[in-house]
Amino acid sequence: MALYPANAQAIAACADKLKQGDLVALPTETVYGLAGDATNGEAIAAIYATKARPQFNPLICHVADMKAARAIGRFNDAAEKLAAAFWPGPLTLVVPRQADCPVDPLASAGLDTIALRVPAHETAQKLLRAVARPLVAPSANPSGRLSPSSAAHVSEMLPDIDVLDGGNCSIGMESSIVGCLDDAPLWLRAGGLARKDIEACLGVNLSEPPEETAQQARLAPGRLARHYAPHSNLRLNAETARDNELLIGFGATAEPCFANLSADGHLSEAAARLFSVLHEADKAAQQSGQNLAVMAIPTDGLGEAINDRLARAAA
Ligand code: TXA
Ligand code: MG
């Protein structure tokens, strides 16, 4: 519907809308989220409908601080450590729901666990404090499509939604997700916080979730093979563009590229630009009837998440 600059007046107006059960797209440091009141089942149902999201795919609940998080989930030692080290920031923790958890069960898609995150973005923080309720906010894109890292991406893909414009997302990649249930901490989704930083904080290695099965799709549906997908075909690990391909580069290269994720070969810059470049390249490729190809990206640090998103986009 409209794009609002993220000033005090717009934040107050959006907080009112959220309290009434309406949806608002909000900026976070990872990607833009399609936010709704987590205590309102109808608002959550509207999120699923707007995204055309499979009902079994649970949502991340956003809160302003640890105090609000404790009212919703139970934190074991690992969860305490990770929250102290990385919140606010690009990390989501899946923990058991509190017995009197105020979040509507629809947000957890019937699971007895809940995904929690404290975002760092100033506008997200202000909005959460103004609403004074937890907000569920999946990425503000139709299910399975590219995630939005700018307000313009949201209004292109979800033209009926009001968007608070908080600029380009500084990280540009969804949060990393760690499961902190009874057993060893689980690596559920590679994202904006590198695995090695999480493991260094915990002092143990993260465990892999069980095999890619229906059961596991329930554990972390973001792991579905085709996800984050552009409309165009995407070829990975390209060295040069073939006929009829637009090339996305990485690092110093003499190859003509449609865009370069990071000419200096910096993975944080490539992560921040990934979805913007894919959105633009996808649009250009559709207009010219071409396909996409992307150069190889190193797999260390944030490269794990970048390669994960590219593999799903290409599947
Ligand atoms: O950075 C982000 O995390 C963004 C911004 C907006 O905060 N949000 C985001 O949400 O990426 P979404 O809905 O696109 O991804 C949520 C992921 C899904 O893969 C889902 O499976 C997982 O979180 N998830 C949510 N609740 C869960 C639970 N109880 N157990 C396991 N995984 C869960
Ligand atoms: Mg998403």
Side-chain angles (χ1 to χ4, degrees), residues 112-259:
D112 52 11
T113 56
I114 184 109
L116 284 166
R117 177 160 109 80
V118 177
H121 195 290
E122 194 190 341
T123 303
Q125 276 286 335
K126 286 181 179 164
L127 188 66
L128 282 164
R129 289 180 196 283
V131 179
R133 287 180 207 170
L135 295 177
V136 280
S139 48
N141 54 304
S143 197
R145 309 306 322 179
L146 289 173
S147 296
S149 57
S150 74
H153 293 159
V154 181
S155 32
E156 270 167 40
M157 293 189 288
L158 300 176
D160 295 336
I161 296 294
D162 283 337
V163 189
L164 273 176
D165 186 352
N168 291 338
C169 301
S170 59
I171 293 174
M173 170 76 59
E174 293 87 347
S175 58
S176 296
I177 306 183
V178 175
C180 298
L181 305 168
D182 341 300
D183 311 328
L186 291 176
W187 184 227
L188 294 179
R189 179 173 80 181
L193 182 64
R195 178 176 188 158
K196 64 173 170 13
D197 295 335
I198 298 170
E199 292 180 336
C201 167
L202 290 171
V204 295
N205 289 340
L206 292 164
S207 303
E208 299 303 323
E211 283 295 288
E212 194 87 21
T213 59
Q215 161 67 13
Q216 195 243 303
R218 274 185 70 88
L219 259 179
R223 299 172 64 100
L224 291 175
R226 184 170 169 84
H227 208 85
Y228 312 108
H231 297 279
S232 324
N233 289 326
L234 174 67
R235 184 169 66 89
L236 304 178
N237 301 317
E239 286 174 4
T240 76
R242 294 179 185 159
D243 277 355
N244 210 34
E245 276 182 348
L246 289 180
L247 183 64
I248 299 171
F250 177 84
T253 174
E255 289 297 319
C257 293
F258 173 80

Side-chain angles (χ1 to χ4, degrees), residues 18 20-23 34-59 103-109 135-138 143 158 161:
L18 287 163
Q20 285 160 24
D22 291 338
L23 308 184
L34 178 62
D37 177 354
T39 66
N40 179 338
E42 282 177 35
I44 298 170
I47 291 179
Y48 284 120
T50 304
K51 284 183 60 86
R53 182 181 182 108
Q55 291 282 331
F56 56 73
N57 197 345
L59 303 173
V103 174
D104 191 280
L106 188 54
S108 299
L135 295 177
V136 280
S143 197
L158 300 176
I161 296 294

